[in-house]
């Protein structure tokens, strides 16, 4: 822990940076360049997690940090301040085009060695690296190497081990860098479950994540749109399950701050989402309005982002996949609940066809789940995200 005097000293340095920023940029009505000092404050309402001042040090091609103050509020999880700080520092390092090395100046948790003033990697960040099982070799020298930074980035994002291995394999093959995949998630273009669905469920995930196909390359672009719309449909279900509904003044309202405790994973072999809630919740988008999931119950959802014509054309194949999925997961958990997720284009089918499909799916001890999302909406969203990814730094 830093002493009170050390904290106050870093506050004074931060305040000096803020004043210079106001004079040079705000009052001059101009934006700073990456190589100029920029102060940041990361908060949630009235809680401050971190104060930082950073710049791209062009000669060494690293991200230089002059102030790095963090707090771990007791109402949040352990090392929350360090997670917020490192998430920003790593994303900023990637955005600025650096080698991913992070260097802390002599102002950060400074100490005297002989007559020389030196900084170090902040203690909270070192604690976080220990929690992640990542060894930082240059703590007292005040820098994190590119290799260490990439390891921390992957852990911070929260990818499963299977996805981490796939990303590293793609990196070794020269298809995509791990830090770009992490930045797309940290930047909010894809959620972790959506990115995992793309990485594990697509034959060419790097094409989507690099936004390499353009509309002029029609076949490649439509392939990427098709794969992306499946991930987005699964993401819509994720958000619906994660939203917690509370009873307030006799009415059901959605909580903005609380989410359902829910583990989400992905089976790339059958393109299915796996859920395991840690509390009871209602199953959305099914005919049985009172169908309840119990805590610890395994749920498998076969995701198929099909248009009405595609549903008819591929139903026999989907039914076969559904049968294999039910058989596979019944052997793991006899009480598993299995669903077949379709967009609302399913409603466009004749009622007689819909009923026949429901009966066939029901005969496999599964249920059809119909999302309010349409394929047209999924395609537009997929195109938007791919276009947004095109503006992100390319190696």
């Amino acid at each position: 822990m830093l002493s009170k005097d050390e904290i106050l000293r870093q506050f004074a340095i931060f305040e000096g940076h803020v004043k210079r920023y106001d004079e040079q940029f705000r009052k001059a009505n101009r934006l700073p360049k990456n190589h100029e000092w920029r102060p940041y404050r990361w908060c949630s309402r009235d809680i401050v997690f971190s104060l930082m001042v950073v710049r791209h040090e062009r000669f060494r091609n690293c991200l230089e940090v002059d102030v790095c103050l963090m707090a771990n509020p007791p109402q949040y999880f352990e090392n929350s301040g360090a997670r917020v700080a490192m998430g920003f520092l790593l994303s900023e390092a990637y955005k600025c085009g650096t080698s991913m090395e992070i260097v802390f100046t002599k102002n950060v948790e400074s100490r005297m060695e002989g007559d020389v003033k030196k900084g170090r990697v902040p203690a909270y960040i070192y604690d976080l690296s220990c929690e992640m099982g990542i060894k930082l070799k240059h703590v007292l020298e005040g820098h994190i190497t590119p290799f260490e930074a990439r390891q921390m980035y992957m852990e911070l994002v929260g990818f499963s081990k299977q996805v981490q291995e796939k990303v590293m394999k793609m990196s070794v093959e020269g298809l995509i860098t791990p830090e770009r995949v992490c930045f797309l998630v940290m930047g909010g273009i894809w959620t972790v479950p959506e990115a995992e669905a793309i990485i594990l469920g697509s034959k060419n995930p790097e094409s989507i994540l690099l936004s390499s196909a353009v509309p002029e390359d029609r076949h490649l672009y439509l392939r990427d749109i098709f794969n992306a719309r499946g991930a987005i449909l699964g993401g819509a279900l994720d958000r619906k399950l994660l939203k917690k509904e509370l009873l307030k003044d006799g009415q059901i309202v959605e909580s903005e701050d609380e989410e359902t405790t829910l583990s989400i994973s992905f089976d790339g072999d059958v393109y299915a989402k796996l859920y395991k809630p840690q509390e009871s919740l209602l199953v959305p988008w099914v005919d049985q309005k009172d169908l309840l999931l119990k805590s610890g119950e395994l749920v498998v959802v076969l995701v198929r982002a099909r248009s009405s014509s595609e549903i008819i054309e591929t139903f026999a194949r989907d039914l076969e996949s559904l049968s294999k999925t039910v058989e596979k997961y019944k052997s793991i958990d006899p009480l598993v609940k299995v669903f077949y997720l379709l967009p609302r284009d399913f409603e466009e089918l004749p009622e007689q066809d819909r009923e026949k499909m429901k009966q066939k799916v029901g005969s496999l001890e599964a249920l059809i789940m119909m999302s309010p999302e349409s394929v047209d909406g999924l395609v537009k969203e997929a195109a938007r995200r791919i276009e947004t990814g095109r503006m992100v730094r390319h190696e």
Side-chain angles (χ1 to χ4, degrees), residues 146-182:
F147 176 73
E148 294 164 351
R150 290 184 183 96
Q151 284 184 301
M152 292 192 76
Y153 213 2
M154 291 281 280
E155 289 293 332
L156 273 174
V157 169
F159 286 133
S160 65
K161 292 298 179 185
Q162 185 184 6
V163 171
Q164 288 187 33
E165 289 171 3
K166 179 75 179 286
V167 170
M168 293 310 298
K169 183 174 181 291
M170 290 193 295
S171 176
V172 170
E173 293 171 353
L175 299 175
I176 195 169
T177 61
E179 50 267 36
R180 179 181 172 89
V181 180
C182 294

Side-chain angles (χ1 to χ4, degrees), residues 48-305:
V48 179
F49 287 96
S50 183
L51 300 177
M52 284 174 289
V53 179
V54 301
R55 73 172 178 182
H56 176 204
E57 210 288 299
R58 291 182 288 183
F59 177 76
R60 191 169 174 177
N61 194 25
C62 65
L63 188 75
E64 195 172 20
V65 187
D66 200 44
V67 175
C68 190
L69 282 169
M70 290 159 283
N72 286 321
Q75 61 268 52
Y76 287 87
F77 47 82
E78 188 68 20
N79 282 326
S80 55
R83 286 180 177 274
V84 170
M86 278 307 297
F88 166 73
L89 292 176
L90 292 165
S91 297
E92 187 69 11
Y94 181 77
K95 180 183 76 70
C96 291
T98 74
S99 65
M100 295 301 291
E101 181 180 18
I102 298 173
V103 176
F104 298 90
T105 70
K106 62 183 180 181
N107 290 325
V108 179
E109 301 196 13
S110 59
R111 68 195 190 285
M112 297 299 295
E113 285 190 10
D115 296 328
V116 180
K117 186 180 180 182
K118 292 186 176 182
R120 56 158 285 165
V121 174
Y124 278 142
I125 290 176
Y126 177 71
D127 288 346
L128 177 62
S129 72
C130 292
E131 179 188 313
M132 293 176 170
I134 297 169
K135 185 176 181 181
L136 301 182
K137 297 180 180 178
H138 306 280
V139 173
L140 296 180
E141 296 167 35
H143 74 99
I144 298 172
T145 67
F147 176 73
E148 294 164 351
R150 290 184 183 96
Q151 284 184 301
M152 292 192 76
Y153 213 2
M154 291 281 280
E155 289 293 332
L156 273 174
V157 169
F159 286 133
S160 65
K161 292 298 179 185
Q162 185 184 6
V163 171
Q164 288 187 33
E165 289 171 3
K166 179 75 179 286
V167 170
M168 293 310 298
K169 183 174 181 291
M170 290 193 295
S171 176
V172 170
E173 293 171 353
L175 299 175
I176 195 169
T177 61
E179 50 267 36
R180 179 181 172 89
V181 180
C182 294
F183 185 85
L184 292 175
V185 173
M186 284 289 196
I189 297 176
W190 301 100
T191 65
V192 172
E194 288 169 349
E196 293 199 343
I198 291 169
I199 292 165
L200 298 178
S202 307
K203 289 184 179 179
N204 303 94
E206 70 281 355
S207 180
I208 301 171
L209 298 172
L210 285 169
S211 301
S212 57
V214 294
E216 290 76 12
D217 298 327
R218 186 164 179 79
H219 291 293
L220 298 176
Y221 186 71
L222 290 178
R223 178 201 63 189
D224 288 353
I225 291 288
F226 181 83
N227 289 321
R229 78 189 195 190
I232 293 168
L233 178 60
L237 178 59
D238 298 341
R239 290 190 294 276
K240 181 64 177 177
L241 292 173
L242 286 168
K243 279 184 180 177
K244 182 171 283 190
E245 294 182 341
L246 305 174
L247 193 65
K248 186 176 181 180
D249 299 327
Q251 293 185 339
I252 295 176
V253 296
E254 290 180 349
S255 173
E256 295 181 2
D257 299 323
E258 297 181 57
E259 287 188 338
T260 304
T261 307
L262 179 73
S263 68
I264 306 172
S265 53
F266 187 79
D267 185 341
D269 294 334
V270 291
Y271 208 94
K273 304 292 290 276
L274 278 63
Y275 301 95
K276 188 169 279 190
Q278 301 305 311
E279 53 190 285
S280 297
L281 57 89
L282 286 171
V283 179
W285 306 340
V286 292
D287 290 341
Q288 294 176 234
K289 301 302 181 185
D290 58 347
L291 185 59
L292 191 70
L293 296 179
K294 298 177 183 177
S295 175
E297 198 166 21
L298 178 62
V299 180
V300 181
V301 182
L302 209 71
V303 180
R304 296 295 184 266

Side-chain angles (χ1 to χ4, degrees), residues 6 15 45 73 128 159 164-165 180 197 246 251 304 320 342 346 353 381 386 390:
E6 177 64 20
E15 186 178 5
R45 298 187 178 181
L128 177 62
F159 286 133
Q164 288 187 33
E165 289 171 3
R180 179 181 172 89
L246 305 174
Q251 293 185 339
R304 296 295 184 266
E320 187 179 339
L342 295 168
F346 179 65
D353 291 346
E381 179 62 13
I386 289 172
R390 218 182 298 284

